[in-house]
Amino acid sequence: MRCSSRALRRHCRYCSPLRLCCDNERMKGLPLRVYLDLEASRKPTGFEDIFIGYHANDDLQVTYAGKSFHTSRSYHVSTEKTTDALIYWSSSRCLPHRDKLAEDFLSLVPHHSFGKCLNNVGGPDMALSMYPICSNNGNGSPHWWDHLHCAMSHYKFVLAIENTKTESYVTEKLFYALEAGSVPIYFGAPNVWDFIPPDSAIDASKFSSLKELASYVKALANDPVAYAEYHAWRRCGVLGNFGRTREMSLDTLPCRLCELVSKRGGRSADSF
């Protein structure tokens, strides 16, 4: 990048006797600059040499499908589903548009809502009271994330609503439900099937109304054979799109980043 105007020259330096380098250009010989942004509005800063995001078009794609977010949680998975409610929902970041969608849908089906938003179980910390088997923190007060998977494993369905509906933005909400042995009811990325096993979730976008979706969920809950079909993928292991999703998780990021830096020549890489 060369600076041609007087205004731009204030932000440039001579990196060789005959060449000006602007502030967002790395000098050859310096370490490559890496920037990671997994938010829905991911935006490269223009100063990085390698951009890490959730989209396949980014220099490195990263997913939430690994174990990096939850190394100390209870992974007890209940072999029985509660009969008191069909759906598990938990949210403590109360976003108006998401809460409205959740409220409208959950009003149509039996559910337990944990967390701070739309709570209907007597408080945000009731999971351990309802499911004491999920306790795994003997030192100090438990955190809600310690028993998240265990608690949701007691339900046939888990409601998963992304903060933002955009291509490839598939977050931990969906993967937590799959790991817990539940069937996700998913509102989010239109290409979600690029990331998860076939027939493993209920894609809410395929229904014409929330009432139609609720009727389907209630009928499915009463049909053991049809419900079991949503778990058929578990007999095959981690394959296909889901296998690739796991391979691109944060767990593998350090090694993949090292490989990309090496391919680009490390400190000897040209500026991008």
mmCIF file with all atom_site columns, all heavy atoms in Angstrom, residues 203-226:
data_model
loop_
_atom_site.group_PDB
_atom_site.id
_atom_site.type_symbol
_atom_site.label_atom_id
_atom_site.label_alt_id
_atom_site.label_comp_id
_atom_site.label_asym_id
_atom_site.label_entity_id
_atom_site.label_seq_id
_atom_site.pdbx_PDB_ins_code
_atom_site.Cartn_x
_atom_site.Cartn_y
_atom_site.Cartn_z
_atom_site.occupancy
_atom_site.B_iso_or_equiv
_atom_site.pdbx_formal_charge
_atom_site.auth_seq_id
_atom_site.auth_comp_id
_atom_site.auth_asym_id
_atom_site.auth_atom_id
_atom_site.pdbx_PDB_model_num
ATOM 1   N N   . ASP A 1 203 ? -35.634 -27.390 12.169 1.00 0.00 ? 203 ASP A N   1
ATOM 2   C CA  . ASP A 1 203 ? -35.353 -26.086 11.579 1.00 0.00 ? 203 ASP A CA  1
ATOM 3   C C   . ASP A 1 203 ? -36.650 -25.281 11.563 1.00 0.00 ? 203 ASP A C   1
ATOM 4   O O   . ASP A 1 203 ? -37.555 -25.548 10.764 1.00 0.00 ? 203 ASP A O   1
ATOM 5   C CB  . ASP A 1 203 ? -34.812 -26.269 10.157 1.00 0.00 ? 203 ASP A CB  1
ATOM 6   C CG  . ASP A 1 203 ? -34.396 -24.957 9.509  1.00 0.00 ? 203 ASP A CG  1
ATOM 7   O OD1 . ASP A 1 203 ? -34.645 -23.882 10.104 1.00 0.00 ? 203 ASP A OD1 1
ATOM 8   O OD2 . ASP A 1 203 ? -33.829 -24.997 8.403  1.00 0.00 ? 203 ASP A OD2 1
ATOM 9   N N   . ALA A 1 204 ? -36.737 -24.296 12.439 1.00 0.00 ? 204 ALA A N   1
ATOM 10  C CA  . ALA A 1 204 ? -37.982 -23.539 12.590 1.00 0.00 ? 204 ALA A CA  1
ATOM 11  C C   . ALA A 1 204 ? -38.369 -22.788 11.336 1.00 0.00 ? 204 ALA A C   1
ATOM 12  O O   . ALA A 1 204 ? -39.552 -22.482 11.132 1.00 0.00 ? 204 ALA A O   1
ATOM 13  C CB  . ALA A 1 204 ? -37.853 -22.563 13.756 1.00 0.00 ? 204 ALA A CB  1
ATOM 14  N N   . SER A 1 205 ? -37.397 -22.498 10.483 1.00 0.00 ? 205 SER A N   1
ATOM 15  C CA  . SER A 1 205 ? -37.694 -21.734 9.263  1.00 0.00 ? 205 SER A CA  1
ATOM 16  C C   . SER A 1 205 ? -38.555 -22.526 8.273  1.00 0.00 ? 205 SER A C   1
ATOM 17  O O   . SER A 1 205 ? -39.104 -21.951 7.330  1.00 0.00 ? 205 SER A O   1
ATOM 18  C CB  . SER A 1 205 ? -36.400 -21.297 8.579  1.00 0.00 ? 205 SER A CB  1
ATOM 19  O OG  . SER A 1 205 ? -35.713 -22.415 8.033  1.00 0.00 ? 205 SER A OG  1
ATOM 20  N N   . LYS A 1 206 ? -38.685 -23.821 8.481  1.00 0.00 ? 206 LYS A N   1
ATOM 21  C CA  . LYS A 1 206 ? -39.451 -24.664 7.564  1.00 0.00 ? 206 LYS A CA  1
ATOM 22  C C   . LYS A 1 206 ? -40.939 -24.678 7.896  1.00 0.00 ? 206 LYS A C   1
ATOM 23  O O   . LYS A 1 206 ? -41.721 -25.330 7.188  1.00 0.00 ? 206 LYS A O   1
ATOM 24  C CB  . LYS A 1 206 ? -38.912 -26.095 7.598  1.00 0.00 ? 206 LYS A CB  1
ATOM 25  C CG  . LYS A 1 206 ? -37.422 -26.212 7.269  1.00 0.00 ? 206 LYS A CG  1
ATOM 26  C CD  . LYS A 1 206 ? -37.081 -25.613 5.918  1.00 0.00 ? 206 LYS A CD  1
ATOM 27  C CE  . LYS A 1 206 ? -35.600 -25.763 5.614  1.00 0.00 ? 206 LYS A CE  1
ATOM 28  N NZ  . LYS A 1 206 ? -35.233 -25.108 4.318  1.00 0.00 ? 206 LYS A NZ  1
ATOM 29  N N   . PHE A 1 207 ? -41.320 -23.951 8.930  1.00 0.00 ? 207 PHE A N   1
ATOM 30  C CA  . PHE A 1 207 ? -42.728 -23.942 9.335  1.00 0.00 ? 207 PHE A CA  1
ATOM 31  C C   . PHE A 1 207 ? -43.341 -22.577 9.036  1.00 0.00 ? 207 PHE A C   1
ATOM 32  O O   . PHE A 1 207 ? -42.683 -21.541 9.168  1.00 0.00 ? 207 PHE A O   1
ATOM 33  C CB  . PHE A 1 207 ? -42.848 -24.272 10.826 1.00 0.00 ? 207 PHE A CB  1
ATOM 34  C CG  . PHE A 1 207 ? -42.398 -25.666 11.157 1.00 0.00 ? 207 PHE A CG  1
ATOM 35  C CD1 . PHE A 1 207 ? -41.050 -25.943 11.361 1.00 0.00 ? 207 PHE A CD1 1
ATOM 36  C CD2 . PHE A 1 207 ? -43.314 -26.695 11.238 1.00 0.00 ? 207 PHE A CD2 1
ATOM 37  C CE1 . PHE A 1 207 ? -40.618 -27.229 11.651 1.00 0.00 ? 207 PHE A CE1 1
ATOM 38  C CE2 . PHE A 1 207 ? -42.899 -28.001 11.533 1.00 0.00 ? 207 PHE A CE2 1
ATOM 39  C CZ  . PHE A 1 207 ? -41.549 -28.264 11.732 1.00 0.00 ? 207 PHE A CZ  1
ATOM 40  N N   . SER A 1 208 ? -44.589 -22.596 8.659  1.00 0.00 ? 208 SER A N   1
ATOM 41  C CA  . SER A 1 208 ? -45.251 -21.362 8.234  1.00 0.00 ? 208 SER A CA  1
ATOM 42  C C   . SER A 1 208 ? -45.649 -20.472 9.404  1.00 0.00 ? 208 SER A C   1
ATOM 43  O O   . SER A 1 208 ? -45.878 -19.276 9.227  1.00 0.00 ? 208 SER A O   1
ATOM 44  C CB  . SER A 1 208 ? -46.497 -21.697 7.404  1.00 0.00 ? 208 SER A CB  1
ATOM 45  O OG  . SER A 1 208 ? -47.424 -22.466 8.177  1.00 0.00 ? 208 SER A OG  1
ATOM 46  N N   . SER A 1 209 ? -45.728 -21.051 10.601 1.00 0.00 ? 209 SER A N   1
ATOM 47  C CA  . SER A 1 209 ? -46.118 -20.265 11.767 1.00 0.00 ? 209 SER A CA  1
ATOM 48  C C   . SER A 1 209 ? -45.606 -20.944 13.028 1.00 0.00 ? 209 SER A C   1
ATOM 49  O O   . SER A 1 209 ? -45.250 -22.129 13.026 1.00 0.00 ? 209 SER A O   1
ATOM 50  C CB  . SER A 1 209 ? -47.640 -20.120 11.844 1.00 0.00 ? 209 SER A CB  1
ATOM 51  O OG  . SER A 1 209 ? -48.243 -21.383 12.110 1.00 0.00 ? 209 SER A OG  1
ATOM 52  N N   . LEU A 1 210 ? -45.603 -20.201 14.121 1.00 0.00 ? 210 LEU A N   1
ATOM 53  C CA  . LEU A 1 210 ? -45.200 -20.773 15.395 1.00 0.00 ? 210 LEU A CA  1
ATOM 54  C C   . LEU A 1 210 ? -46.210 -21.819 15.871 1.00 0.00 ? 210 LEU A C   1
ATOM 55  O O   . LEU A 1 210 ? -45.837 -22.806 16.515 1.00 0.00 ? 210 LEU A O   1
ATOM 56  C CB  . LEU A 1 210 ? -45.054 -19.669 16.446 1.00 0.00 ? 210 LEU A CB  1
ATOM 57  C CG  . LEU A 1 210 ? -43.933 -18.649 16.205 1.00 0.00 ? 210 LEU A CG  1
ATOM 58  C CD1 . LEU A 1 210 ? -43.912 -17.618 17.330 1.00 0.00 ? 210 LEU A CD1 1
ATOM 59  C CD2 . LEU A 1 210 ? -42.583 -19.343 16.088 1.00 0.00 ? 210 LEU A CD2 1
ATOM 60  N N   . LYS A 1 211 ? -47.459 -21.611 15.537 1.00 0.00 ? 211 LYS A N   1
ATOM 61  C CA  . LYS A 1 211 ? -48.483 -22.589 15.912 1.00 0.00 ? 211 LYS A CA  1
ATOM 62  C C   . LYS A 1 211 ? -48.240 -23.917 15.206 1.00 0.00 ? 211 LYS A C   1
ATOM 63  O O   . LYS A 1 211 ? -48.381 -24.994 15.801 1.00 0.00 ? 211 LYS A O   1
ATOM 64  C CB  . LYS A 1 211 ? -49.874 -22.053 15.571 1.00 0.00 ? 211 LYS A CB  1
ATOM 65  C CG  . LYS A 1 211 ? -50.354 -20.943 16.495 1.00 0.00 ? 211 LYS A CG  1
ATOM 66  C CD  . LYS A 1 211 ? -51.786 -20.548 16.176 1.00 0.00 ? 211 LYS A CD  1
ATOM 67  C CE  . LYS A 1 211 ? -52.280 -19.465 17.138 1.00 0.00 ? 211 LYS A CE  1
ATOM 68  N NZ  . LYS A 1 211 ? -53.678 -19.062 16.835 1.00 0.00 ? 211 LYS A NZ  1
ATOM 69  N N   . GLU A 1 212 ? -47.876 -23.851 13.935 1.00 0.00 ? 212 GLU A N   1
ATOM 70  C CA  . GLU A 1 212 ? -47.587 -25.079 13.198 1.00 0.00 ? 212 GLU A CA  1
ATOM 71  C C   . GLU A 1 212 ? -46.366 -25.781 13.797 1.00 0.00 ? 212 GLU A C   1
ATOM 72  O O   . GLU A 1 212 ? -46.344 -27.008 13.955 1.00 0.00 ? 212 GLU A O   1
ATOM 73  C CB  . GLU A 1 212 ? -47.336 -24.762 11.727 1.00 0.00 ? 212 GLU A CB  1
ATOM 74  C CG  . GLU A 1 212 ? -47.068 -26.014 10.884 1.00 0.00 ? 212 GLU A CG  1
ATOM 75  C CD  . GLU A 1 212 ? -46.705 -25.687 9.454  1.00 0.00 ? 212 GLU A CD  1
ATOM 76  O OE1 . GLU A 1 212 ? -46.606 -24.489 9.108  1.00 0.00 ? 212 GLU A OE1 1
ATOM 77  O OE2 . GLU A 1 212 ? -46.491 -26.636 8.671  1.00 0.00 ? 212 GLU A OE2 1
ATOM 78  N N   . LEU A 1 213 ? -45.350 -25.006 14.142 1.00 0.00 ? 213 LEU A N   1
ATOM 79  C CA  . LEU A 1 213 ? -44.147 -25.562 14.752 1.00 0.00 ? 213 LEU A CA  1
ATOM 80  C C   . LEU A 1 213 ? -44.482 -26.209 16.098 1.00 0.00 ? 213 LEU A C   1
ATOM 81  O O   . LEU A 1 213 ? -44.033 -27.331 16.390 1.00 0.00 ? 213 LEU A O   1
ATOM 82  C CB  . LEU A 1 213 ? -43.107 -24.456 14.941 1.00 0.00 ? 213 LEU A CB  1
ATOM 83  C CG  . LEU A 1 213 ? -41.846 -24.825 15.719 1.00 0.00 ? 213 LEU A CG  1
ATOM 84  C CD1 . LEU A 1 213 ? -41.095 -25.965 15.040 1.00 0.00 ? 213 LEU A CD1 1
ATOM 85  C CD2 . LEU A 1 213 ? -40.936 -23.601 15.867 1.00 0.00 ? 213 LEU A CD2 1
ATOM 86  N N   . ALA A 1 214 ? -45.259 -25.540 16.913 1.00 0.00 ? 214 ALA A N   1
ATOM 87  C CA  . ALA A 1 214 ? -45.629 -26.074 18.221 1.00 0.00 ? 214 ALA A CA  1
ATOM 88  C C   . ALA A 1 214 ? -46.421 -27.373 18.089 1.00 0.00 ? 214 ALA A C   1
ATOM 89  O O   . ALA A 1 214 ? -46.204 -28.332 18.841 1.00 0.00 ? 214 ALA A O   1
ATOM 90  C CB  . ALA A 1 214 ? -46.430 -25.033 18.999 1.00 0.00 ? 214 ALA A CB  1
ATOM 91  N N   . SER A 1 215 ? -47.333 -27.409 17.128 1.00 0.00 ? 215 SER A N   1
ATOM 92  C CA  . SER A 1 215 ? -48.127 -28.631 16.908 1.00 0.00 ? 215 SER A CA  1
ATOM 93  C C   . SER A 1 215 ? -47.225 -29.788 16.497 1.00 0.00 ? 215 SER A C   1
ATOM 94  O O   . SER A 1 215 ? -47.409 -30.931 16.948 1.00 0.00 ? 215 SER A O   1
ATOM 95  C CB  . SER A 1 215 ? -49.184 -28.380 15.828 1.00 0.00 ? 215 SER A CB  1
ATOM 96  O OG  . SER A 1 215 ? -50.126 -27.417 16.250 1.00 0.00 ? 215 SER A OG  1
ATOM 97  N N   . TYR A 1 216 ? -46.232 -29.486 15.664 1.00 0.00 ? 216 TYR A N   1
ATOM 98  C CA  . TYR A 1 216 ? -45.298 -30.527 15.221 1.00 0.00 ? 216 TYR A CA  1
ATOM 99  C C   . TYR A 1 216 ? -44.485 -31.056 16.401 1.00 0.00 ? 216 TYR A C   1
ATOM 100 O O   . TYR A 1 216 ? -44.303 -32.271 16.553 1.00 0.00 ? 216 TYR A O   1
ATOM 101 C CB  . TYR A 1 216 ? -44.373 -29.972 14.143 1.00 0.00 ? 216 TYR A CB  1
ATOM 102 C CG  . TYR A 1 216 ? -43.337 -30.961 13.692 1.00 0.00 ? 216 TYR A CG  1
ATOM 103 C CD1 . TYR A 1 216 ? -43.650 -31.954 12.765 1.00 0.00 ? 216 TYR A CD1 1
ATOM 104 C CD2 . TYR A 1 216 ? -42.032 -30.920 14.194 1.00 0.00 ? 216 TYR A CD2 1
ATOM 105 C CE1 . TYR A 1 216 ? -42.701 -32.880 12.354 1.00 0.00 ? 216 TYR A CE1 1
ATOM 106 C CE2 . TYR A 1 216 ? -41.077 -31.832 13.788 1.00 0.00 ? 216 TYR A CE2 1
ATOM 107 C CZ  . TYR A 1 216 ? -41.412 -32.809 12.867 1.00 0.00 ? 216 TYR A CZ  1
ATOM 108 O OH  . TYR A 1 216 ? -40.471 -33.731 12.470 1.00 0.00 ? 216 TYR A OH  1
ATOM 109 N N   . VAL A 1 217 ? -43.993 -30.161 17.232 1.00 0.00 ? 217 VAL A N   1
ATOM 110 C CA  . VAL A 1 217 ? -43.179 -30.559 18.382 1.00 0.00 ? 217 VAL A CA  1
ATOM 111 C C   . VAL A 1 217 ? -43.989 -31.432 19.339 1.00 0.00 ? 217 VAL A C   1
ATOM 112 O O   . VAL A 1 217 ? -43.497 -32.471 19.827 1.00 0.00 ? 217 VAL A O   1
ATOM 113 C CB  . VAL A 1 217 ? -42.633 -29.312 19.106 1.00 0.00 ? 217 VAL A CB  1
ATOM 114 C CG1 . VAL A 1 217 ? -42.006 -29.697 20.440 1.00 0.00 ? 217 VAL A CG1 1
ATOM 115 C CG2 . VAL A 1 217 ? -41.615 -28.603 18.230 1.00 0.00 ? 217 VAL A CG2 1
ATOM 116 N N   . LYS A 1 218 ? -45.215 -31.057 19.609 1.00 0.00 ? 218 LYS A N   1
ATOM 117 C CA  . LYS A 1 218 ? -46.043 -31.833 20.540 1.00 0.00 ? 218 LYS A CA  1
ATOM 118 C C   . LYS A 1 218 ? -46.376 -33.212 19.960 1.00 0.00 ? 218 LYS A C   1
ATOM 119 O O   . LYS A 1 218 ? -46.374 -34.216 20.689 1.00 0.00 ? 218 LYS A O   1
ATOM 120 C CB  . LYS A 1 218 ? -47.316 -31.047 20.874 1.00 0.00 ? 218 LYS A CB  1
ATOM 121 C CG  . LYS A 1 218 ? -47.051 -29.872 21.804 1.00 0.00 ? 218 LYS A CG  1
ATOM 122 C CD  . LYS A 1 218 ? -48.312 -29.173 22.245 1.00 0.00 ? 218 LYS A CD  1
ATOM 123 C CE  . LYS A 1 218 ? -48.870 -28.274 21.178 1.00 0.00 ? 218 LYS A CE  1
ATOM 124 N NZ  . LYS A 1 218 ? -49.987 -27.417 21.682 1.00 0.00 ? 218 LYS A NZ  1
ATOM 125 N N   . ALA A 1 219 ? -46.638 -33.273 18.662 1.00 0.00 ? 219 ALA A N   1
ATOM 126 C CA  . ALA A 1 219 ? -46.913 -34.570 18.035 1.00 0.00 ? 219 ALA A CA  1
ATOM 127 C C   . ALA A 1 219 ? -45.666 -35.445 18.037 1.00 0.00 ? 219 ALA A C   1
ATOM 128 O O   . ALA A 1 219 ? -45.734 -36.654 18.278 1.00 0.00 ? 219 ALA A O   1
ATOM 129 C CB  . ALA A 1 219 ? -47.416 -34.355 16.607 1.00 0.00 ? 219 ALA A CB  1
ATOM 130 N N   . LEU A 1 220 ? -44.516 -34.833 17.772 1.00 0.00 ? 220 LEU A N   1
ATOM 131 C CA  . LEU A 1 220 ? -43.249 -35.566 17.744 1.00 0.00 ? 220 LEU A CA  1
ATOM 132 C C   . LEU A 1 220 ? -42.931 -36.141 19.127 1.00 0.00 ? 220 LEU A C   1
ATOM 133 O O   . LEU A 1 220 ? -42.439 -37.271 19.247 1.00 0.00 ? 220 LEU A O   1
ATOM 134 C CB  . LEU A 1 220 ? -42.126 -34.639 17.283 1.00 0.00 ? 220 LEU A CB  1
ATOM 135 C CG  . LEU A 1 220 ? -40.730 -35.243 17.135 1.00 0.00 ? 220 LEU A CG  1
ATOM 136 C CD1 . LEU A 1 220 ? -40.727 -36.348 16.078 1.00 0.00 ? 220 LEU A CD1 1
ATOM 137 C CD2 . LEU A 1 220 ? -39.723 -34.154 16.760 1.00 0.00 ? 220 LEU A CD2 1
ATOM 138 N N   . ALA A 1 221 ? -43.211 -35.380 20.160 1.00 0.00 ? 221 ALA A N   1
ATOM 139 C CA  . ALA A 1 221 ? -42.934 -35.838 21.524 1.00 0.00 ? 221 ALA A CA  1
ATOM 140 C C   . ALA A 1 221 ? -43.740 -37.078 21.885 1.00 0.00 ? 221 ALA A C   1
ATOM 141 O O   . ALA A 1 221 ? -43.312 -37.879 22.729 1.00 0.00 ? 221 ALA A O   1
ATOM 142 C CB  . ALA A 1 221 ? -43.226 -34.713 22.507 1.00 0.00 ? 221 ALA A CB  1
ATOM 143 N N   . ASN A 1 222 ? -44.882 -37.243 21.249 1.00 0.00 ? 222 ASN A N   1
ATOM 144 C CA  . ASN A 1 222 ? -45.751 -38.388 21.535 1.00 0.00 ? 222 ASN A CA  1
ATOM 145 C C   . ASN A 1 222 ? -45.562 -39.542 20.559 1.00 0.00 ? 222 ASN A C   1
ATOM 146 O O   . ASN A 1 222 ? -46.335 -40.506 20.581 1.00 0.00 ? 222 ASN A O   1
ATOM 147 C CB  . ASN A 1 222 ? -47.219 -37.936 21.529 1.00 0.00 ? 222 ASN A CB  1
ATOM 148 C CG  . ASN A 1 222 ? -47.542 -37.032 22.702 1.00 0.00 ? 222 ASN A CG  1
ATOM 149 O OD1 . ASN A 1 222 ? -47.089 -37.269 23.822 1.00 0.00 ? 222 ASN A OD1 1
ATOM 150 N ND2 . ASN A 1 222 ? -48.313 -35.979 22.452 1.00 0.00 ? 222 ASN A ND2 1
ATOM 151 N N   . ASP A 1 223 ? -44.573 -39.436 19.700 1.00 0.00 ? 223 ASP A N   1
ATOM 152 C CA  . ASP A 1 223 ? -44.304 -40.478 18.701 1.00 0.00 ? 223 ASP A CA  1
ATOM 153 C C   . ASP A 1 223 ? -42.875 -40.971 18.895 1.00 0.00 ? 223 ASP A C   1
ATOM 154 O O   . ASP A 1 223 ? -41.932 -40.407 18.339 1.00 0.00 ? 223 ASP A O   1
ATOM 155 C CB  . ASP A 1 223 ? -44.492 -39.903 17.293 1.00 0.00 ? 223 ASP A CB  1
ATOM 156 C CG  . ASP A 1 223 ? -44.400 -40.960 16.217 1.00 0.00 ? 223 ASP A CG  1
ATOM 157 O OD1 . ASP A 1 223 ? -43.775 -42.019 16.459 1.00 0.00 ? 223 ASP A OD1 1
ATOM 158 O OD2 . ASP A 1 223 ? -44.912 -40.729 15.096 1.00 0.00 ? 223 ASP A OD2 1
ATOM 159 N N   . PRO A 1 224 ? -42.675 -42.014 19.688 1.00 0.00 ? 224 PRO A N   1
ATOM 160 C CA  . PRO A 1 224 ? -41.319 -42.475 20.006 1.00 0.00 ? 224 PRO A CA  1
ATOM 161 C C   . PRO A 1 224 ? -40.480 -42.823 18.785 1.00 0.00 ? 224 PRO A C   1
ATOM 162 O O   . PRO A 1 224 ? -39.270 -42.562 18.772 1.00 0.00 ? 224 PRO A O   1
ATOM 163 C CB  . PRO A 1 224 ? -41.566 -43.712 20.874 1.00 0.00 ? 224 PRO A CB  1
ATOM 164 C CG  . PRO A 1 224 ? -42.938 -43.535 21.428 1.00 0.00 ? 224 PRO A CG  1
ATOM 165 C CD  . PRO A 1 224 ? -43.709 -42.809 20.367 1.00 0.00 ? 224 PRO A CD  1
ATOM 166 N N   . VAL A 1 225 ? -41.086 -43.399 17.779 1.00 0.00 ? 225 VAL A N   1
ATOM 167 C CA  . VAL A 1 225 ? -40.340 -43.790 16.581 1.00 0.00 ? 225 VAL A CA  1
ATOM 168 C C   . VAL A 1 225 ? -39.863 -42.562 15.823 1.00 0.00 ? 225 VAL A C   1
ATOM 169 O O   . VAL A 1 225 ? -38.685 -42.460 15.437 1.00 0.00 ? 225 VAL A O   1
ATOM 170 C CB  . VAL A 1 225 ? -41.201 -44.691 15.667 1.00 0.00 ? 225 VAL A CB  1
ATOM 171 C CG1 . VAL A 1 225 ? -40.460 -44.991 14.362 1.00 0.00 ? 225 VAL A CG1 1
ATOM 172 C CG2 . VAL A 1 225 ? -41.569 -45.988 16.376 1.00 0.00 ? 225 VAL A CG2 1
ATOM 173 N N   . ALA A 1 226 ? -40.761 -41.617 15.611 1.00 0.00 ? 226 ALA A N   1
ATOM 174 C CA  . ALA A 1 226 ? -40.387 -40.398 14.893 1.00 0.00 ? 226 ALA A CA  1
ATOM 175 C C   . ALA A 1 226 ? -39.361 -39.596 15.675 1.00 0.00 ? 226 ALA A C   1
ATOM 176 O O   . ALA A 1 226 ? -38.420 -39.028 15.096 1.00 0.00 ? 226 ALA A O   1
ATOM 177 C CB  . ALA A 1 226 ? -41.634 -39.550 14.620 1.00 0.00 ? 226 ALA A CB  1
#
